[in-house]
Amino acid sequence: MDCREVTKMRIPFKERPDWADVKPVPQDDGPCPVVPIAYTEDFSETMDYFRAIYVADERSTRALQLTSEAIQLNPGNYTVWQFRRVVLAALGVDLHKELKFVDCIAGENTKNYQIWHHRRWLAEKLGADAVTNELEFTKKIFSQDAKNYHAWSHRQWVLQALGGWEEELAYCQQLLDDDIYNNSAWNQRYFVITRSPLLGGLVAMRELEVNYTVKTIRASPENESPWRYLRGLFKNDTQSLVQDSQVASVLLDVLTSQNSHVHALSFLLDLLCHGFEPSQELKSAVDVLTPQSCSPDLTLTKKICSILEHTDPMRVKYWNWRKSTVRVQSAQSQNADRLANLSMQG
């Protein structure tokens, strides 16, 4: 059923012969409503008739049509959507046609929880037959709003519940080629390499992904997303991160360039807290960036915090706190690493 049918010239239910046997049930706001809602006449009548068939539990073609009209008037009414599912199941309606109805409603309501819940219900019923359609539908949403949480959540559910992993990493690559700052695409890429049953898992993909991420960082070191992604590639394996030569190399490249240094310095600070042994070149790069007002006797970690206090003034209090507690942070981080290693060995 096309939702555009609902928008045609509306005939009041009381004038429709096929509804003559139904007694509408008005909304009960009590004897003295404090702030009654000024519903339109069409909305009030439609909901009065909906309450009548809902109370009667009428699972008919006309009931389905009524829910279409009620949804068109208020796509967020979860009771109407739930009853529609009951009617659809009772009538054995072709759910592919129902998807077209949802497509139409969703066009102007892409962040409506009820619509996405209904869509998932349909996809569950259709199974593998729904995979291609659902992945294409979310692509269409992303072309309008690349960070639509509902669409990303739905897409991840489809992949995990129904499949369709084959081209997902390539799709993430396409999104990042279009916009390297698309943090939702970075998040999806991480989801794919850690969840896809076709790629072998995080450890198996790490080297390729580190290569890609480091290349991206060199091209846009001011972009926080690849720095975050790089951390994620070494989740629960900090020692491998500390020992990775590519990580040390990209830090040196960024810190000796004329680009933004904030994310590189923050990353280096965390590495040092985990026991990273910097090269003399890295130490010299930090010295060059250190404000002249700083004491030459400062430790490397405190020098980094001092630089960040100047280059990242929005978080100056945070960097000041890091400077004052860096010794404690280092001890805590390294203890956590030792425990993690023991857990992995066990």
Side-chain angles (χ1 to χ4, degrees), residues 169-182 185-186 189 212 215-216:
L169 186 57
Y171 176 58
C172 295
Q173 184 66 59
Q174 175 193 328
L175 291 176
L176 290 171
D177 287 344
D178 293 340
D179 178 12
I180 201 63
Y181 292 89
N182 185 341
W186 281 105
R189 188 182 184 104
Y212 171 73
K215 180 180 177 181
T216 302

Side-chain angles (χ1 to χ4, degrees), residues 185-328:
W186 281 105
N187 181 72
Q188 183 70 359
R189 188 182 184 104
Y190 190 78
F191 172 81
V192 173
I193 67 165
T194 55
R195 304 292 183 87
S196 172
L198 308 179
L199 298 178
L202 179 59
V203 175
M205 292 294 294
R206 181 180 289 158
E207 184 175 356
L208 286 174
E209 290 300 293
V210 169
N211 291 341
Y212 171 73
T213 309
V214 164
K215 180 180 177 181
T216 302
I217 288 173
R218 285 193 171 97
S220 54
E222 75 287 351
N223 182 2
E224 186 174 6
S225 292
W227 290 103
R228 293 288 179 184
Y229 189 78
L230 185 59
R231 293 172 189 263
L233 293 175
F234 294 90
K235 183 178 181 180
N236 299 326
D237 191 3
T238 308
Q239 286 309 301
S240 293
L241 172 62
V242 167
Q243 297 166 9
D244 194 287
S245 60
Q246 287 199 81
V247 173
S249 176
V250 74
L251 283 170
L252 181 61
D253 288 348
V254 173
L255 292 177
T256 54
S257 71
Q258 298 301 313
N259 295 303
S260 172
H261 304 125
V262 171
H263 299 309
L265 288 168
S266 175
F267 201 100
L268 177 56
L269 178 62
D270 289 341
L271 285 185
L272 291 168
C273 288
H274 285 283
F276 174 65
E277 294 292 340
S279 66
Q280 186 56 50
E281 289 178 303
L282 263 176
K283 292 178 182 178
S284 297
V286 172
D287 286 339
V288 170
L289 297 172
T290 304
Q292 293 182 353
S293 57
C294 292
S295 168
D297 297 328
L298 284 178
T299 63
L300 183 60
T301 51
K302 290 191 175 183
K303 285 181 182 178
I304 292 172
C305 290
S306 296
I307 299 168
L308 287 166
E309 285 174 340
H310 286 80
T311 58
D312 188 20
M314 185 67 72
R315 294 186 290 177
V316 62
K317 291 184 178 180
Y318 170 71
W319 297 122
N320 184 264
W321 171 79
R322 289 291 302 266
K323 184 195 290 187
S324 66
T325 59
V326 70
R327 184 174 297 178
V328 174

Side-chain angles (χ1 to χ4, degrees), residues 8-121:
K8 295 178 180 178
M9 187 65 69
R10 180 181 181 277
I11 300 174
F13 282 93
K14 62 185 178 183
E15 297 178 14
R16 303 182 196 184
D18 54 330
W19 286 93
D21 62 311
V22 177
K23 182 179 180 180
V25 178
Q27 179 167 307
D28 184 4
D29 288 330
C32 301
V34 178
V35 186
I37 299 174
Y39 297 116
T40 65
E41 184 177 341
D42 287 350
F43 182 87
S44 293
E45 187 198 36
T46 300
M47 293 309 298
D48 289 352
Y49 276 82
F50 171 75
R51 277 185 284 273
I53 65 165
Y54 182 75
V55 170
D57 195 22
E58 180 181 321
R59 307 178 186 186
S60 64
T61 301
R62 71 175 182 179
L64 184 62
Q65 173 61 25
L66 174 55
T67 62
S68 298
E69 296 190 39
I71 287 168
Q72 183 72 5
L73 291 168
N74 178 16
N77 191 318
Y78 54 84
T79 302
V80 176
W81 280 109
Q82 173 58 29
F83 188 66
R84 184 177 180 86
R85 287 189 282 276
V86 171
V87 176
L88 286 167
L91 297 179
V93 173
D94 182 350
L95 298 183
H96 290 93
K97 292 182 178 180
E98 178 67 6
L99 271 177
K100 292 180 180 179
F101 170 77
V102 178
D103 285 350
C104 192
I105 295 293
E108 297 180 357
N109 300 275
T110 60
K111 296 184 178 180
N112 181 307
Y113 284 94
Q114 285 71 44
I115 290 175
W116 287 106
H117 180 72
H118 189 70
R119 192 166 193 105
R120 179 178 294 194
W121 179 81

